[in-house]
Amino acid sequence: MASRIYFDHSATTPLDPRVFSAMAPHLSSAAGNPSSPHHEGRQARQAVEFARGQVAELLGADPAEILFTASGTEADNLALLGALRARHLSESHIITTAIEHPAVLETCRALERRGVSLTLLPVDGHAQVDPSALCAAIRPETRLVSVMAANNLVGTLQPIAELAAITKAQGALFHTDAVQAAGKIPLNVKYLPADLISLSAHKLHGPQGIGALYVRGGVTLDPILFGGGQERGLRPATENVAAIVGFGMAAALAAAEIHSEAARLSALRGRILSGLRARLPHATLLGHPVERLPGHLCLGFPGHEGDMPALVIALDEAGVAVSSSSACSTAKAGAPAPVLQAMGLSADRARGFLRVTLGRFSTERDADRFLDLLPQAVSSLPSTRQAETFSATPG
Ligand code: PLP
C-alpha cells in the first residue's frame, strides 16, 4: 500500500525524528523540575536554558528576550493583553488586520469589549496590508499594532519590517504573529524592529503545546496568569521541559536549513502549480503569487466552492491529507472564510478553497502522486459528474 501524503503543514507538522530524540531523555522518570536545586532540577534548568538559546538564535535575539508559553495562542494573548493591561484601556487604541488568526483577532475583540478602541486594517486582493493604510490609521494614542508575518490560510507574507518601522516612529509597540513564518522565512530582530513576536513549535516540526514570545529588552508586560515566578513571572507554571527541549532542537534545525528548505519547497510548490495548470486549468491560486510562504498553496475552484469539503474527504480516502478550512477557524463549516472576504472575494467564492501546504518530508514523488490523485478526486465529486464543468483532465 502506498504511504499517505501529508500536505497540511499549516495545520501542524510531523515531529522531526531528531527532535524526538532530543526530547526522549526528558520524558523519562529521571526528569527534574527546573526550579529544584538538586541534580535532576539543575539538569532540567540547563536543558531549558539551552533551548531558550536555540529559539533566540532563530530570531537573532538575546536568550533573555524569549519566554516560553504553552502555545502560539498563549503567546499572542500574552503579547496583546500583557501590553495593554497596564494602560488606561478606554484611552488606548490598537491596530490589527482583518486577516489575523483568531488568537490575535479574538484577543483584540476582547480588549475592545473592555473599552479599547480597535482599528482593523484592510488587505488587498492578495491579502497584503498597504503600509500607507497603517500611516493613515495610527494615532498618538495607538499603543500597539499587531500584523501577522504570514497568513495561515493563503500564505501571503506581510511587509512587517516596514509596518514595524512606521509603528516605532509613532512610539507604539509592534507585535507580529510569526507562528506560520518562523523557521520558513528569515526573521532577525536586529533588522526587524518588532517588540513582540509569537512563535509555536508545532509549525516547524517541533512538538505541539509549546510556544514562545519574543519580548524586546526594555518592553514591559503585565502577566495574564498568576502563580509561581517562572519565566520572569510572565508565564508562571512548571516548565514543560521535554517540549521546550523539542522546540529548541526544532528551532536549531529550522535555522540551519532555512535557505535550502525555502528553495526546495518553492520548487516543489512550482512543480505542483504548473502540473495543476495542465490538469485543472480552472483552479486559481489565492494569495500573493510571489510573496508567500515557500511551501504554501491555496487553491480556488470558482463555481465549486461548496464541493471543497467533499474534495478533502475524497483526497483523504485516496491517501492525501489537505484542508478546506483553517484548523483554527472560528467560522462555521460552509460559512465564507473571513480572510477571503477581506481579500474582496464574494461570499460565494469565499466559501471554499483547498489548502495544500508542504513541509520538510514532502518529496517530488509526493507532489507527482498528488497531481495524479487530485484530478481523479475532482472527477469523483457529484457536481463534476453531473455538470462536467470542473475542467478535470485526468492525468
Ligand atoms: N497564529 C497563527 C498564524 C496560526 O496559524 C496558529 C495556528 O494555526 C496560531 C497562531 C495558534 O498557534 P497554536 O496552535 O500553537 O496555539
Side-chain angles (χ1 to χ4, degrees):
M1 208 181 84
S3 56
R4 283 183 62 83
I5 298 172
Y6 184 78
F7 277 176
D8 198 13
H9 291 82
S10 282
T12 196
T13 55
L15 198 69
D16 189 300
R18 294 168 289 181
V19 173
F20 180 75
S21 300
M23 292 172 69
H26 300 279
L27 292 164
S28 80
S29 56
N33 184 322
S35 298
S36 299
H38 48 57
H39 172 80
E40 288 78 1
R42 291 197 310 274
Q43 295 251 297
R45 168 60 56 206
Q46 215 172 31
V48 165
E49 297 314 320
F50 186 72
R52 198 187 305 281
Q54 290 173 308
V55 173
E57 217 167 298
L58 180 64
L59 298 178
D62 191 288
E65 296 174 312
I66 300 296
L67 294 176
F68 287 111
T69 62
S71 60
T73 299
E74 194 187 290
D76 285 338
N77 273 259
L78 176 58
L80 303 175
L81 298 176
L84 269 286
R85 275 175 83 95
R87 319 264 180 174
H88 299 288
L89 296 186
S90 59
E91 291 152 29
S92 297
H93 173 234
I94 56 174
I95 300 176
T96 189
T97 77
I99 61 159
E100 296 297 314
H101 187 274
V104 167
L105 215 42
E106 293 305 315
T107 307
C108 287
R109 292 206 194 285
L111 281 166
E112 190 180 30
R113 287 193 292 276
R114 293 177 201 172
V116 172
S117 157
L118 171 66
T119 299
L120 292 186
L121 297 178
V123 293
D124 65 17
H126 291 144
Q128 238 173 14
V129 173
D130 182 348
S132 65
L134 176 59
C135 290
I138 204 158
R139 355 194 256 243
E141 67 274 22
T142 305
R143 301 284 171 231
L144 182 125
V145 174
S146 177
V147 179
M148 69 198 324
N151 182 260
N152 45 306
L153 197 148
V154 292
T156 297
L157 307 180
Q158 299 299 339
I160 49 167
E162 205 177 332
L163 298 170
I166 294 166
T167 304
K168 298 315 298 166
Q170 189 66 39
L173 293 173
F174 186 82
H175 166 249
T176 187
D177 175 339
V179 165
Q180 292 289 343
K184 295 173 199 151
I185 58 163
L187 294 170
N188 190 318
V189 295
K190 296 196 173 65
Y191 314 107
L192 171 67
D195 298 293
L196 300 157
I197 304 178
S198 303
L199 310 175
S200 181
H202 75 104
K203 308 291 186 178
L204 44 112
H205 299 282
Q208 295 173 344
I210 183 76
L213 182 65
Y214 160 80
V215 185
R216 187 175 288 277
V219 172
T220 53
L221 297 179
D222 271 10
I224 58 170
L225 294 174
F226 298 89
Q230 293 93 339
E231 299 300 283
R232 291 194 274 131
L234 284 167
R235 209 285 165 170
T238 302
E239 297 87 343
N240 185 347
V241 178
I244 288 173
V245 167
F247 192 0
M249 178 57 102
L253 294 172
E257 298 169 6
I258 198 162
H259 296 293
S260 56
E261 265 303 273
R264 193 185 71 84
L265 290 177
S266 303
L268 212 50
R269 182 188 70 197
R271 186 182 184 99
I272 294 178
L273 204 54
S274 51
L276 274 178
R277 293 215 160 108
R279 291 165 166 87
L280 295 169
H282 204 55
T284 57
L285 181 68
L286 299 170
H288 200 285
V290 181
E291 287 162 33
R292 60 187 303 126
L293 289 171
H296 198 297
L297 282 159
C298 185
L299 304 168
F301 292 91
H304 296 275
E305 288 79 11
D307 293 326
M308 293 303 114
L311 184 55
V312 168
I313 292 169
L315 282 167
D316 187 34
E317 284 167 358
V320 185
V322 292
S323 64
S324 67
S325 64
S326 170
C328 306
S329 170
T330 50
K332 292 196 177 63
V339 174
L340 299 185
Q341 284 196 294
M343 289 163 61
L345 269 68
S346 67
D348 277 346
R349 291 271 325 268
R351 248 180 259 283
F353 59 89
L354 196 70
R355 188 178 69 172
V356 180
T357 48
L358 319 174
R360 186 172 294 154
F361 307 110
S362 306
T363 62
E364 284 186 0
R365 191 159 167 269
D366 292 338
D368 293 345
R369 261 184 64 217
F370 173 68
L371 286 169
D372 286 343
L373 292 169
L374 181 60
Q376 286 170 27
V378 161
S379 57
S380 74
L381 296 173
S383 67
T384 317
R385 288 207 302 269
Q386 280 162 22
E388 294 296 327
T389 55
F390 219 123
S391 310
T393 317

mmCIF file of all heavy atoms in Angstrom, residues 10-12 70-76 99-104 148-153 177-181 198-203 208-211 326-328 355, ligand 1:
data_model
loop_
_atom_site.group_PDB
_atom_site.id
_atom_site.type_symbol
_atom_site.label_atom_id
_atom_site.label_comp_id
_atom_site.label_asym_id
_atom_site.label_seq_id
_atom_site.Cartn_x
_atom_site.Cartn_y
_atom_site.Cartn_z
ATOM 1 N N SER A 10 0.384 23.602 7.363
ATOM 2 C CA SER A 10 -0.023 24.841 8.041
ATOM 3 C C SER A 10 -0.876 24.530 9.262
ATOM 4 O O SER A 10 -0.982 25.355 10.168
ATOM 5 C CB SER A 10 -0.784 25.766 7.094
ATOM 6 O OG SER A 10 0.145 26.398 6.258
ATOM 7 N N ALA A 11 -1.506 23.347 9.271
ATOM 8 C CA ALA A 11 -2.293 22.951 10.454
ATOM 9 C C ALA A 11 -1.350 22.477 11.557
ATOM 10 O O ALA A 11 -1.427 22.926 12.693
ATOM 11 C CB ALA A 11 -3.289 21.856 10.084
ATOM 12 N N THR A 12 -0.469 21.569 11.215
ATOM 13 C CA THR A 12 0.583 21.134 12.136
ATOM 14 C C THR A 12 1.594 20.326 11.334
ATOM 15 O O THR A 12 1.282 19.853 10.243
ATOM 16 C CB THR A 12 0.014 20.327 13.332
ATOM 17 O OG1 THR A 12 1.003 20.252 14.359
ATOM 18 C CG2 THR A 12 -0.390 18.913 12.939
ATOM 19 N N ALA A 70 2.591 28.094 26.538
ATOM 20 C CA ALA A 70 2.045 26.769 26.234
ATOM 21 C C ALA A 70 1.623 26.628 24.774
ATOM 22 O O ALA A 70 1.263 25.532 24.350
ATOM 23 C CB ALA A 70 0.853 26.478 27.141
ATOM 24 N N SER A 71 1.652 27.697 24.004
ATOM 25 C CA SER A 71 1.184 27.630 22.609
ATOM 26 C C SER A 71 1.425 28.967 21.922
ATOM 27 O O SER A 71 1.714 29.982 22.589
ATOM 28 C CB SER A 71 -0.323 27.337 22.570
ATOM 29 O OG SER A 71 -1.031 28.360 23.247
ATOM 30 N N GLY A 72 1.223 28.968 20.617
ATOM 31 C CA GLY A 72 1.240 30.229 19.877
ATOM 32 C C GLY A 72 0.079 31.104 20.321
ATOM 33 O O GLY A 72 0.216 32.331 20.435
ATOM 34 N N THR A 73 -1.050 30.486 20.580
ATOM 35 C CA THR A 73 -2.236 31.234 21.031
ATOM 36 C C THR A 73 -1.930 31.978 22.332
ATOM 37 O O THR A 73 -2.267 33.157 22.487
ATOM 38 C CB THR A 73 -3.412 30.252 21.253
ATOM 39 O OG1 THR A 73 -3.708 29.617 20.003
ATOM 40 C CG2 THR A 73 -4.643 30.953 21.780
ATOM 41 N N GLU A 74 -1.269 31.269 23.258
ATOM 42 C CA GLU A 74 -0.955 31.920 24.538
ATOM 43 C C GLU A 74 0.064 33.046 24.339
ATOM 44 O O GLU A 74 -0.036 34.102 24.996
ATOM 45 C CB GLU A 74 -0.423 30.888 25.534
ATOM 46 C CG GLU A 74 -0.409 31.422 26.947
ATOM 47 C CD GLU A 74 0.277 30.472 27.909
ATOM 48 O OE1 GLU A 74 -0.275 29.401 28.191
ATOM 49 O OE2 GLU A 74 1.368 30.821 28.369
ATOM 50 N N ALA A 75 1.002 32.843 23.430
ATOM 51 C CA ALA A 75 1.979 33.906 23.152
ATOM 52 C C ALA A 75 1.262 35.147 22.616
ATOM 53 O O ALA A 75 1.555 36.279 23.024
ATOM 54 C CB ALA A 75 3.025 33.407 22.157
ATOM 55 N N ASP A 76 0.304 34.954 21.703
ATOM 56 C CA ASP A 76 -0.466 36.090 21.171
ATOM 57 C C ASP A 76 -1.246 36.780 22.282
ATOM 58 O O ASP A 76 -1.280 38.013 22.377
ATOM 59 C CB ASP A 76 -1.451 35.605 20.089
ATOM 60 C CG ASP A 76 -0.761 35.282 18.763
ATOM 61 O OD1 ASP A 76 0.350 35.803 18.530
ATOM 62 O OD2 ASP A 76 -1.330 34.521 17.966
ATOM 63 N N ILE A 99 -7.270 39.951 8.709
ATOM 64 C CA ILE A 99 -6.952 38.567 8.326
ATOM 65 C C ILE A 99 -6.139 37.826 9.385
ATOM 66 O O ILE A 99 -5.548 36.784 9.102
ATOM 67 C CB ILE A 99 -6.197 38.519 6.979
ATOM 68 C CG1 ILE A 99 -4.868 39.291 7.079
ATOM 69 C CG2 ILE A 99 -7.046 39.070 5.845
ATOM 70 C CD1 ILE A 99 -3.860 38.874 6.025
ATOM 71 N N GLU A 100 -6.122 38.374 10.595
ATOM 72 C CA GLU A 100 -5.323 37.714 11.643
ATOM 73 C C GLU A 100 -5.939 36.375 12.049
ATOM 74 O O GLU A 100 -7.156 36.147 11.902
ATOM 75 C CB GLU A 100 -5.231 38.615 12.885
ATOM 76 C CG GLU A 100 -4.516 39.919 12.655
ATOM 77 C CD GLU A 100 -3.052 39.776 12.253
ATOM 78 O OE1 GLU A 100 -2.325 39.000 12.879
ATOM 79 O OE2 GLU A 100 -2.647 40.480 11.297
ATOM 80 N N HIS A 101 -5.103 35.547 12.637
ATOM 81 C CA HIS A 101 -5.575 34.303 13.256
ATOM 82 C C HIS A 101 -6.476 34.672 14.431
ATOM 83 O O HIS A 101 -6.280 35.719 15.068
ATOM 84 C CB HIS A 101 -4.349 33.528 13.757
ATOM 85 C CG HIS A 101 -4.655 32.162 14.258
ATOM 86 N ND1 HIS A 101 -5.058 31.922 15.549
ATOM 87 C CD2 HIS A 101 -4.624 30.956 13.648
ATOM 88 C CE1 HIS A 101 -5.254 30.629 15.714
ATOM 89 N NE2 HIS A 101 -4.996 30.014 14.572
ATOM 90 N N PRO A 102 -7.467 33.811 14.753
ATOM 91 C CA PRO A 102 -8.347 34.130 15.885
ATOM 92 C C PRO A 102 -7.594 34.397 17.189
ATOM 93 O O PRO A 102 -8.087 35.139 18.041
ATOM 94 C CB PRO A 102 -9.228 32.879 16.021
ATOM 95 C CG PRO A 102 -9.199 32.238 14.670
ATOM 96 C CD PRO A 102 -7.887 32.593 14.042
ATOM 97 N N ALA A 103 -6.406 33.821 17.344
ATOM 98 C CA ALA A 103 -5.644 34.051 18.588
ATOM 99 C C ALA A 103 -5.332 35.540 18.762
ATOM 100 O O ALA A 103 -5.227 36.027 19.890
ATOM 101 C CB ALA A 103 -4.348 33.242 18.568
ATOM 102 N N VAL A 104 -5.201 36.259 17.662
ATOM 103 C CA VAL A 104 -4.987 37.717 17.732
ATOM 104 C C VAL A 104 -6.323 38.452 17.645
ATOM 105 O O VAL A 104 -6.631 39.322 18.463
ATOM 106 C CB VAL A 104 -4.038 38.181 16.600
ATOM 107 C CG1 VAL A 104 -4.060 39.696 16.442
ATOM 108 C CG2 VAL A 104 -2.621 37.706 16.893
ATOM 109 N N MET A 148 0.315 39.991 11.370
ATOM 110 C CA MET A 148 0.950 38.669 11.231
ATOM 111 C C MET A 148 2.051 38.706 10.164
ATOM 112 O O MET A 148 1.951 39.454 9.184
ATOM 113 C CB MET A 148 -0.095 37.610 10.925
ATOM 114 C CG MET A 148 -0.727 37.725 9.569
ATOM 115 S SD MET A 148 -2.314 36.830 9.368
ATOM 116 C CE MET A 148 -2.160 35.364 10.324
ATOM 117 N N ALA A 149 3.087 37.872 10.358
ATOM 118 C CA ALA A 149 4.177 37.830 9.381
ATOM 119 C C ALA A 149 3.751 37.081 8.122
ATOM 120 O O ALA A 149 4.124 37.457 7.005
ATOM 121 C CB ALA A 149 5.404 37.169 10.000
ATOM 122 N N ALA A 150 2.975 36.006 8.294
ATOM 123 C CA ALA A 150 2.489 35.232 7.145
ATOM 124 C C ALA A 150 1.110 34.710 7.495
ATOM 125 O O ALA A 150 0.880 34.275 8.627
ATOM 126 C CB ALA A 150 3.423 34.067 6.848
ATOM 127 N N ASN A 151 0.223 34.750 6.515
ATOM 128 C CA ASN A 151 -1.148 34.306 6.777
ATOM 129 C C ASN A 151 -1.267 32.786 6.694
ATOM 130 O O ASN A 151 -0.752 32.170 5.767
ATOM 131 C CB ASN A 151 -2.116 34.983 5.801
ATOM 132 C CG ASN A 151 -3.547 34.583 6.063
ATOM 133 O OD1 ASN A 151 -4.093 33.723 5.382
ATOM 134 N ND2 ASN A 151 -4.131 35.139 7.098
ATOM 135 N N ASN A 152 -1.988 32.230 7.647
ATOM 136 C CA ASN A 152 -2.129 30.774 7.713
ATOM 137 C C ASN A 152 -2.990 30.218 6.591
ATOM 138 O O ASN A 152 -2.764 29.113 6.121
ATOM 139 C CB ASN A 152 -2.694 30.353 9.075
ATOM 140 C CG ASN A 152 -3.858 31.201 9.525
ATOM 141 O OD1 ASN A 152 -3.763 32.429 9.591
ATOM 142 N ND2 ASN A 152 -4.965 30.573 9.837
ATOM 143 N N LEU A 153 -3.965 30.987 6.118
ATOM 144 C CA LEU A 153 -4.886 30.425 5.125
ATOM 145 C C LEU A 153 -4.341 30.545 3.701
ATOM 146 O O LEU A 153 -4.328 29.579 2.951
ATOM 147 C CB LEU A 153 -6.248 31.116 5.256
ATOM 148 C CG LEU A 153 -7.405 30.377 4.591
ATOM 149 C CD1 LEU A 153 -8.701 30.604 5.324
ATOM 150 C CD2 LEU A 153 -7.564 30.786 3.149
ATOM 151 N N ASP A 177 2.560 38.092 14.808
ATOM 152 C CA ASP A 177 2.298 36.676 14.979
ATOM 153 C C ASP A 177 3.082 35.973 13.870
ATOM 154 O O ASP A 177 2.688 36.008 12.699
ATOM 155 C CB ASP A 177 0.787 36.437 14.857
ATOM 156 C CG ASP A 177 0.418 34.965 14.900
ATOM 157 O OD1 ASP A 177 1.297 34.129 14.619
ATOM 158 O OD2 ASP A 177 -0.745 34.664 15.196
ATOM 159 N N ALA A 178 4.216 35.385 14.264
ATOM 160 C CA ALA A 178 5.080 34.729 13.271
ATOM 161 C C ALA A 178 4.962 33.211 13.367
ATOM 162 O O ALA A 178 5.894 32.486 12.999
ATOM 163 C CB ALA A 178 6.526 35.168 13.481
ATOM 164 N N VAL A 179 3.804 32.754 13.850
ATOM 165 C CA VAL A 179 3.621 31.310 14.046
ATOM 166 C C VAL A 179 3.796 30.551 12.728
ATOM 167 O O VAL A 179 4.420 29.488 12.692
ATOM 168 C CB VAL A 179 2.238 31.043 14.691
ATOM 169 C CG1 VAL A 179 1.844 29.576 14.585
ATOM 170 C CG2 VAL A 179 2.242 31.493 16.149
ATOM 171 N N GLN A 180 3.279 31.094 11.629
ATOM 172 C CA GLN A 180 3.420 30.393 10.340
ATOM 173 C C GLN A 180 4.759 30.695 9.670
ATOM 174 O O GLN A 180 5.231 29.899 8.866
ATOM 175 C CB GLN A 180 2.278 30.783 9.387
ATOM 176 C CG GLN A 180 0.913 30.275 9.807
ATOM 177 C CD GLN A 180 0.746 28.759 9.648
ATOM 178 O OE1 GLN A 180 1.508 28.090 8.958
ATOM 179 N NE2 GLN A 180 -0.281 28.218 10.298
ATOM 180 N N ALA A 181 5.334 31.835 9.974
ATOM 181 C CA ALA A 181 6.530 32.279 9.235
ATOM 182 C C ALA A 181 7.847 31.782 9.832
ATOM 183 O O ALA A 181 8.806 31.524 9.103
ATOM 184 C CB ALA A 181 6.558 33.805 9.182
ATOM 185 N N SER A 198 5.366 36.241 18.260
ATOM 186 C CA SER A 198 4.825 34.953 18.733
ATOM 187 C C SER A 198 5.295 33.812 17.843
ATOM 188 O O SER A 198 5.294 33.932 16.613
ATOM 189 C CB SER A 198 3.294 34.967 18.689
ATOM 190 O OG SER A 198 2.794 36.030 19.444
ATOM 191 N N LEU A 199 5.638 32.701 18.487
ATOM 192 C CA LEU A 199 6.100 31.500 17.782
ATOM 193 C C LEU A 199 5.367 30.277 18.331
ATOM 194 O O LEU A 199 4.876 30.295 19.468
ATOM 195 C CB LEU A 199 7.598 31.274 18.019
ATOM 196 C CG LEU A 199 8.581 32.420 17.797
ATOM 197 C CD1 LEU A 199 9.982 31.982 18.206
ATOM 198 C CD2 LEU A 199 8.578 32.851 16.343
ATOM 199 N N SER A 200 5.352 29.209 17.541
ATOM 200 C CA SER A 200 4.768 27.948 18.007
ATOM 201 C C SER A 200 5.568 26.788 17.429
ATOM 202 O O SER A 200 5.792 26.731 16.212
ATOM 203 C CB SER A 200 3.306 27.861 17.550
ATOM 204 O OG SER A 200 2.731 26.670 18.011
ATOM 205 N N ALA A 201 5.996 25.861 18.296
ATOM 206 C CA ALA A 201 6.913 24.798 17.852
ATOM 207 C C ALA A 201 6.286 23.844 16.833
ATOM 208 O O ALA A 201 6.980 23.338 15.951
ATOM 209 C CB ALA A 201 7.387 23.998 19.073
ATOM 210 N N HIS A 202 4.970 23.605 16.958
ATOM 211 C CA HIS A 202 4.399 22.537 16.119
ATOM 212 C C HIS A 202 4.242 22.931 14.656
ATOM 213 O O HIS A 202 3.876 22.110 13.824
ATOM 214 C CB HIS A 202 3.088 21.996 16.704
ATOM 215 C CG HIS A 202 1.880 22.873 16.549
ATOM 216 N ND1 HIS A 202 0.902 22.605 15.620
ATOM 217 C CD2 HIS A 202 1.470 23.961 17.217
ATOM 218 C CE1 HIS A 202 -0.072 23.499 15.746
ATOM 219 N NE2 HIS A 202 0.249 24.341 16.708
ATOM 220 N N LYS A 203 4.558 24.199 14.320
ATOM 221 C CA LYS A 203 4.518 24.588 12.907
ATOM 222 C C LYS A 203 5.898 24.427 12.272
ATOM 223 O O LYS A 203 6.056 24.661 11.083
ATOM 224 C CB LYS A 203 4.056 26.038 12.756
ATOM 225 C CG LYS A 203 2.754 26.380 13.469
ATOM 226 C CD LYS A 203 1.529 25.729 12.862
ATOM 227 C CE LYS A 203 0.266 26.253 13.561
ATOM 228 N NZ LYS A 203 -0.957 25.717 13.028
ATOM 229 N N GLN A 208 3.704 19.725 19.678
ATOM 230 C CA GLN A 208 2.513 20.550 19.904
ATOM 231 C C GLN A 208 2.501 21.005 21.361
ATOM 232 O O GLN A 208 3.109 20.381 22.234
ATOM 233 C CB GLN A 208 1.249 19.744 19.586
ATOM 234 C CG GLN A 208 1.181 19.373 18.110
ATOM 235 C CD GLN A 208 0.037 18.443 17.770
ATOM 236 O OE1 GLN A 208 -0.552 17.821 18.648
ATOM 237 N NE2 GLN A 208 -0.282 18.336 16.494
ATOM 238 N N GLY A 209 1.795 22.106 21.629
ATOM 239 C CA GLY A 209 1.608 22.557 23.012
ATOM 240 C C GLY A 209 2.802 23.273 23.610
ATOM 241 O O GLY A 209 3.006 23.250 24.824
ATOM 242 N N ILE A 210 3.616 23.902 22.771
ATOM 243 C CA ILE A 210 4.695 24.739 23.302
ATOM 244 C C ILE A 210 4.905 25.915 22.332
ATOM 245 O O ILE A 210 4.986 25.723 21.127
ATOM 246 C CB ILE A 210 6.010 23.944 23.544
ATOM 247 C CG1 ILE A 210 7.090 24.826 24.172
ATOM 248 C CG2 ILE A 210 6.513 23.269 22.296
ATOM 249 C CD1 ILE A 210 6.890 25.110 25.630
ATOM 250 N N GLY A 211 4.937 27.094 22.893
ATOM 251 C CA GLY A 211 5.139 28.299 22.093
ATOM 252 C C GLY A 211 6.165 29.184 22.760
ATOM 253 O O GLY A 211 6.755 28.831 23.789
ATOM 254 N N SER A 326 -9.445 26.380 7.748
ATOM 255 C CA SER A 326 -8.320 26.524 8.668
ATOM 256 C C SER A 326 -8.644 25.694 9.899
ATOM 257 O O SER A 326 -9.755 25.750 10.411
ATOM 258 C CB SER A 326 -8.161 27.992 9.014
ATOM 259 O OG SER A 326 -7.240 28.109 10.054
ATOM 260 N N ALA A 327 -7.656 24.910 10.374
ATOM 261 C CA ALA A 327 -7.899 24.046 11.543
ATOM 262 C C ALA A 327 -8.309 24.880 12.755
ATOM 263 O O ALA A 327 -8.953 24.382 13.663
ATOM 264 C CB ALA A 327 -6.636 23.249 11.859
ATOM 265 N N CYS A 328 -7.958 26.158 12.752
ATOM 266 C CA CYS A 328 -8.237 27.005 13.923
ATOM 267 C C CYS A 328 -9.318 28.031 13.610
ATOM 268 O O CYS A 328 -9.408 29.054 14.280
ATOM 269 C CB CYS A 328 -6.984 27.743 14.353
ATOM 270 S SG CYS A 328 -5.611 26.653 14.632
ATOM 271 N N ARG A 355 -6.444 24.076 0.694
ATOM 272 C CA ARG A 355 -5.117 24.498 1.165
ATOM 273 C C ARG A 355 -4.184 23.296 1.139
ATOM 274 O O ARG A 355 -4.470 22.261 1.746
ATOM 275 C CB ARG A 355 -5.228 25.070 2.569
ATOM 276 C CG ARG A 355 -3.933 25.702 3.039
ATOM 277 C CD ARG A 355 -4.074 26.295 4.409
ATOM 278 N NE ARG A 355 -4.244 25.271 5.428
ATOM 279 C CZ ARG A 355 -4.239 25.513 6.737
ATOM 280 N NH1 ARG A 355 -4.120 26.762 7.171
ATOM 281 N NH2 ARG A 355 -4.390 24.544 7.610
HETATM 282 N N1 PLP B 1 -1.240 32.137 14.783
HETATM 283 C C1 PLP B 1 -1.269 31.578 13.566
HETATM 284 C C2 PLP B 1 -0.990 32.417 12.370
HETATM 285 C C3 PLP B 1 -1.566 30.222 13.424
HETATM 286 O O1 PLP B 1 -1.611 29.680 12.210
HETATM 287 C C4 PLP B 1 -1.817 29.450 14.582
HETATM 288 C C5 PLP B 1 -2.187 28.024 14.465
HETATM 289 O O2 PLP B 1 -2.665 27.578 13.448
HETATM 290 C C6 PLP B 1 -1.758 30.086 15.834
HETATM 291 C C7 PLP B 1 -1.467 31.421 15.896
HETATM 292 C C8 PLP B 1 -2.008 29.332 17.098
HETATM 293 O O3 PLP B 1 -0.897 28.549 17.436
HETATM 294 P P1 PLP B 1 -1.095 27.309 18.454
HETATM 295 O O4 PLP B 1 -1.761 26.232 17.676
HETATM 296 O O5 PLP B 1 0.280 26.952 18.888
HETATM 297 O O6 PLP B 1 -1.932 27.820 19.576
#
